[in-house]
Amino acid sequence: MSEPKATTPTQGDTYKGWLFKWTNYIKGYQRRWFVLSNGLLSYYRTQAEMGHTCRGTINLATANIAVEDSCNFVISNGGAQTYHLKASSEVERQRWITALELAKAKAVRMQAESDDSGDECPSSSPPPSGQGGGARCSEVQSTLRTLGSKVEDLSTCNDLIAKHGSALQRSLSELEGLRLGGETGDKIRQVTERATLFRITSNAMINACRDFLALAQAHSKRWQKALQAEREQRVRLEETLEQLAKQHNHLERAFRGATVLPAPTANSATDSKGSAPGKGDASDEDEENEFFDAMEDAPEFITVPADPKYHRSGSNVSGISSEIGMDDQSLDDQSLVFNQESPQPQEMELVKKRRTRIPDKPNYSLNLWSIMKNCIGKELSKIPMPVNFNEPISMLQRLSEDLEYCELLDKAAKCQSSLEQLCYVAAFTVSSYSTTVHRTGKPFNPLLGETFELDRLRESGYRSLCEQVSHHPPAAAHHVISERGWTLRQEIALASKFRGKYLSIMPLGTIHCIFEKSNNHYSWKKVTTTVHNIIVGKLWIDQSGEIDVVNHKTGDRCHLKFAPYSYFSRDVARKVTGVVTDKEGKAHYILSGTWDEKMEFSRVMQSSKGGLGGIGENGTEGKQKTVYQTLRARELWKKTPLPESAETMYYFSSLALTLNEMEEGVAPTDSRLRPDQRLMEQGRWEEANAEKQRLEEKQRSVRREREREAARVASPAEDALIEDSDPSLKSTHQDNYKALWFERCEDPVTNEITHIYKGGYWEAKEQGNWDMCPDIF
C-alpha cells in the first residue's frame, strides 16, 4: 500500500489528505480521504466521493483531540462520535494535529462571535447618498476583521509553540537532572537555549503582527477615501455604459422596424451571419492556439493535449488548419445563425403561452391492504396497479419528451461537415435521458389505438405524432417532421426483467433521423434503464450500455458508452464517453460528459497506440489503449435547470409540464383526454384508480370481441402460416389491430419490420374529421 500523502493547507482554511481510520476488529485500519474545512472534519472512501457521498462528519467546536503515540491520535465529541486515526509518520501526524487545533480554535471563536454579531450592525440605515460609502466602509472593516482573525490564528500557533516548547524544556530538564557525561550535558543545555530562543522569536512575530493590525486600523480612513474615489469612477463608467446600451437598443429597434415590413429574404440573414463572425476572428484564432486535456479519460482510450503545431498561423499543414478553423468556427456561427433566423417568424404571429405549473403531488401513503383487497379472487394478469406508482402522463407523452432538446437537431441540420453533424446527433441521443434522473414514477400504459400529438410548429418548428400500435407486447410508433430540415421516426417496444433488488427495462427498436439537405440517414438504439431499490430503500435510476449512432450514407459512426454506476468506482457518476470515426475507422472527435448534465466534444488531431495495457495474469500482453491528442473541448449540450418547485410536480421538466395541457382540435384518442390520467393530475387519486380499472376492463372486452371476429375470418392454417413466415408478427396478429396512422412495413435501411407514418393525421385535424377514430375512452 502506498504511503498516504496529505496536501498542504489551502487559502480557504481547508486541509485534505489520506489517513487510516479504525473500522472494526476484522478489517482494522482502512485508508480514507479526510477533508478539514470550516471547523468540520469529514471523510470519504475516495476523492471521487466528495461530490455526492460523505461517510461521516464531526464538529471540532465540541471535539476533543488526544494524541496516543507517534502516529495515532483520537478525535471525539463526547461519546457520540469517536475517530481513531493513524498517520503515515510522526511528522504527518503533527501536521494534522496542528491543523485540527487551529480549526478548533477558529470554530470556537466563530461560535462565540455569532451570538454577538447583531451588535456590530448599525442601529439605523445610512442615508441613500451614503450607501456606497457605507458599503466600502463595511468592506474595509471586513478586511480588518480578516486580518485580526489571521493574527488570532498566529496567536494560537504561538500558544501551541509555547506548549510544545515548555514540554520540550521539561523533558530536557529531566535529562539534565540525570547524571550524564559532561559532553551530553552541554548538548542538552545547547538544545534548551535554542528552544528558548525559538519561543522568544515566535513572541516577537506575534507582537509584530499586532503592530501591523494597529497600523492598518490607523490608515483605514485613507483606504476608505481611496476606495470611495474608485467607486465613484466606476459608477460614472457604468452610467456611461448604460446610456450607450440604451442608444444601441434604440437603433436596433429602429432597424428592425425598417426591415420587418418587407418579407425577410435569405440575403439579409446571410449578411447578418457574415458580419457577426468577422468581429470574433481574432479571438477565435487566439483560442485555437491554446490546447487542453479532454474532460475525462474513457476506459478504452486516453486523451492528451494536441501538439501546438496544429494552429493556423504559420502552419505547414494548411489543409488541416483550414479544416480546424472551419469546424471550430462553425459551432459559434451556427448558434448565431439559428438565433437570427428563428425569431423572425415568431414576430409575425403570436405564440401560445404554455402552462408552467400543475397541481402539486398529493402526499398519499401507499396502503398495501387497499391493493390486496382488490386482488382477492382475481387472476394475476387482471390485478389493477394503483396510480400511486404512476406519474400523470402516458408512455406516448414520455416518448415525446425525447424532443426536449430538439434544437440540437436544428443545429445539426445546419452543419456542413457530416462528422460534426454526427456529434450533434450523438448529443441529442444522450440528452433524451436527462429528464429521467429523478423520474421514478411509472407512466400510464397507453390503450391500444391511443395517440398523442405535439404541435410545436410555431415555437420550435416541428410536429410530432405517437400511436400505440400494439398491446402485447406494448409498442408505440413515433413520427416527427421539422420545418428546419430533419425528420425523426421510431418504434419502441419495452421488455423488462425483475431481478429482485432492481428492475431492468430494455427498449427494443431503432430510432431514425434523416436530414433533408444532406440526405444523411442516422440510426441508433436505446440503452438499458435500471430502477434500483425496488423492494427496500429509495428508488433511483441509472442508464447503462452502449450505443452506435451510424450514418448509413457516409459510413461514419459514433460509439457511445454509458458507464453503469459503481459504488467502488472513482469515475464521475452517470459518465458518458464516445468516439466519432469515419468509415475507415479513423477517429475525428472525442465526446465526454454525463447523461444528466452536459456533453462536450474535442477534435482529434492525432492518435496512437499507447503501451499502457500492461501484462495480463496469464502472462500475455494486455490490450493497448489508444492515445488521442485533442484540441480544446467545446460544449455540445447542457441541461436546462428544472422549473421551480419541480420536486412537488413529479420532477417534470418545462416541456413535460405542458404535455398534458388541454388543446382544442386534437383527436378523440389523444392522451390528454384520458380521464384516469386527468384525475390523477388533479390530485383525485381514488377516482383515478376507479377510472383506470374501468378503462382496462373496457380494453379487455374490446380485445375479446376483436379476437372472436378474427377467429371467424381467419382459419388455423392461416394463423400457422403467418407465424411461420414472420414470428415477430405473432403478437401483432394476436392483437388483430391495424394502426390508424401508421402502416407496418419493412424498413428500407435496416430491413426491420416496423411501423412508418403513412400520413393523414394533420389533414384530418384541419378538417375536424375524426370519424375513423375508435372509442377507447
Side-chain angles (χ1 to χ4, degrees), residues 366-376 383-386 389:
L366 184 60
N367 188 356
L368 293 179
W369 170 244
S370 65
I371 302 176
M372 295 174 62
K373 69 180 181 181
N374 296 326
C375 303
I376 299 175
I383 297 175
M385 295 301 294
F389 297 103

Side-chain angles (χ1 to χ4, degrees), residues 9-14 102 106 109 142-158 205-206 209-210 212-213:
T10 62
Q11 188 176 0
D13 296 333
T14 301
L102 284 171
K106 186 173 182 179
R109 186 170 63 251
S142 175
T143 304
L144 294 176
R145 283 195 297 270
T146 303
L147 292 174
S149 175
K150 295 301 180 182
V151 171
E152 291 293 337
D153 291 343
L154 292 174
S155 179
T156 304
C157 292
N158 177 69
M205 178 185 64
I206 295 294
C209 291
R210 292 191 185 278
F212 169 74
L213 177 61

